[in-house]
Amino acid sequence: MSGDELTELRVALARLEGKLDMYGLQSTALSADLKDHEKRLRGLEEARTRLLAYATLLGAGTSLLAGMAGRLLFHT
């Protein structure tokens, strides 16, 4: 193997290492983005659950009040 071929091989290896490093950084960034998205989705799911619980309680309370009002208005 001549000196020029060895130099070209070293340059190609350095480029390959650079590309692998770049892919590693991109993978780390994507992993961080994925964790952020998961956190946001969990927050939305929690908010939705709370909203459904409030709606259920409000519906039950309204039904109770309507029943009491019906008894007062129609059974006196």
Side-chain angles (χ1 to χ4, degrees):
M1 197 177 268
S2 70
D4 287 342
E5 290 175 334
L6 191 56
T7 302
E8 287 180 25
L9 187 58
R10 287 180 180 158
V11 169
L13 183 59
R15 286 182 185 158
L16 183 59
E17 286 177 343
K19 287 181 180 182
L20 287 174
D21 287 342
M22 181 183 66
Y23 288 133
L25 290 173
Q26 287 176 345
S27 175
T28 302
L30 286 174
S31 180
D33 284 347
L34 181 61
K35 286 180 184 178
D36 182 51
H37 286 291
E38 286 180 13
K39 183 179 175 183
R40 289 180 183 191
L41 282 175
R42 291 193 198 289
L44 288 172
E45 288 171 349
E46 288 176 13
R48 187 179 113 201
T49 301
R50 269 188 250 122
L51 183 61
L52 289 173
Y54 293 148
T56 301
L57 291 173
L58 182 63
T62 303
S63 176
L64 195 88
L65 288 174
M68 292 171 68
R71 278 191 222 145
L72 289 173
L73 292 174
F74 299 114
H75 292 287
T76 50

